[in-house]
Amino acid sequence: MTTTVEAATSVRRRWALAYQRNGWWLLLLWAVAYGLLRASQAIHGEPYVAPLGTDLVVGGWLPTVLCAVAAILAPMLRTPRGPKPLRVAAVAVAWTVTTALAAEAALFLLDLVSVVLPGIGLTVEPAALATRLACEAGAVLLAGTTLVYQRQQRSACLTCGRTDRPRPPWMLKVATFAGYAAIAGCLLRLVAQYAVGTNGIPLAVVGMTPQALGFEAGFLLAGVVLPLALVRPWGRRFPRWVTGLAGRRVPRWLLLGPAFVISLGMTAYFGVTFAELAFQSAAGTFDAGPFGLAFFWVAVPAYLLWGIGLGLAALGFWSRTRPICRQCDRF
């Protein structure tokens, strides 16, 4: 077991050192290449992609501007030099652009659902999926470069990010609360389907296709079981009723992988949807379809609460289950 942990730590250390040296130019290369692609589409016209008419949430010149800002940030995030106000501003802008890039590719959530559960009525446009994945890749590159830069600023371990300062106990309490908040968001969404402005459209199981039943099962797994596993002890060790695995450690990324992907997708997609809902409701232009406006004012914030809560719970689980770093010997 120790040898496995040491090997994993060694891999993370090599990755961190390699990213410290090369991450900024990978970000620069992505920003130039993807920026030129988006600029070309802005000039010559973007192909129509349902349901928004573009592959990203906001088309036009905005993606190009974000790429240009990322290209400017790349050499600035190479080493933590310069006046402190400039360094603080660079980090703030970097995380803002990261958030904007993730939000631009928010429709990736629908692509993910349609790939995992084919046959529920959603389609995937391969070209649009490729450009959304490229946009998300840029967000990941910028986030990674910024994270390494911040670790350098704090003199933290490049492998694990730890410092000599103890972990505040309130962080884990917040993560636990967030896990239950995610469950509340999921259940509130289900209540909304029954009680708020659905114009007689039920959440029925009888007569559902296998794909729809799979979607509902995944809905409950991601909204109830997964958040509970992230905050309860049985999410770290298999409980007694799991035949053959009882008492064994649950692989960290068996929970963290789905939790981070679902949280990112939901937070980005429904964050954008909530902003559209607020602005269009104020202007009286929101198309509520057969459900009614009240339904969306309950369901969309519930989804957003679910996504944010799941992400915070995953961060708490990640912190709780981290092994001792073999590079800095911090726990």
Side-chain angles (χ1 to χ4, degrees), residues 120-261:
I120 63 172
L122 297 175
T123 59
V124 178
E125 293 286 344
L129 175 59
T131 56
R132 289 168 191 154
L133 286 175
C135 189
E136 289 287 6
V140 171
L141 281 173
L142 182 53
T145 304
T146 308
L147 191 61
V148 170
Y149 180 76
Q150 288 183 291
R151 288 179 178 180
Q152 291 175 313
Q153 282 187 321
R154 297 185 294 114
S155 299
C157 175
L158 288 179
T159 303
C160 67
R162 296 178 177 101
T163 65
D164 292 325
R165 297 175 60 184
R167 181 176 55 199
W170 59 265
M171 292 179 63
L172 294 181
K173 293 181 180 179
V174 169
T176 300
F177 175 80
Y180 290 110
I183 297 172
C186 174
L187 297 180
L188 182 61
R189 166 62 182 83
L190 292 176
V191 169
Q193 185 77 26
Y194 281 108
V196 183
T198 58
N199 290 340
I201 299 176
L203 183 65
V205 174
V206 178
M208 278 189 173
T209 64
Q211 293 84 0
L213 286 173
F215 177 81
E216 296 299 336
F219 191 94
L220 293 175
L221 284 173
V224 177
V225 178
L226 182 57
L228 274 178
L230 293 171
V231 300
R232 300 299 299 167
W234 56 265
R236 298 189 286 277
R237 286 190 180 275
F238 287 106
R240 288 177 295 178
W241 48 265
V242 181
T243 306
L245 295 174
R248 295 187 180 183
R249 288 185 180 274
V250 177
R252 297 176 73 219
W253 289 98
L254 181 65
L255 299 180
L256 287 175
F260 281 133
V261 170

Side-chain angles (χ1 to χ4, degrees), residues 9 11 13 55 63 72 75 86 95 127 166 169 174 182 190 205 235 253 277 296 331:
T9 304
V11 170
R13 174 65 177 174
D55 52 347
I72 295 171
L86 180 61
W95 284 118
V174 169
L190 292 176
V205 174
W253 289 98
L277 175 64
F296 286 94
F331 180 74

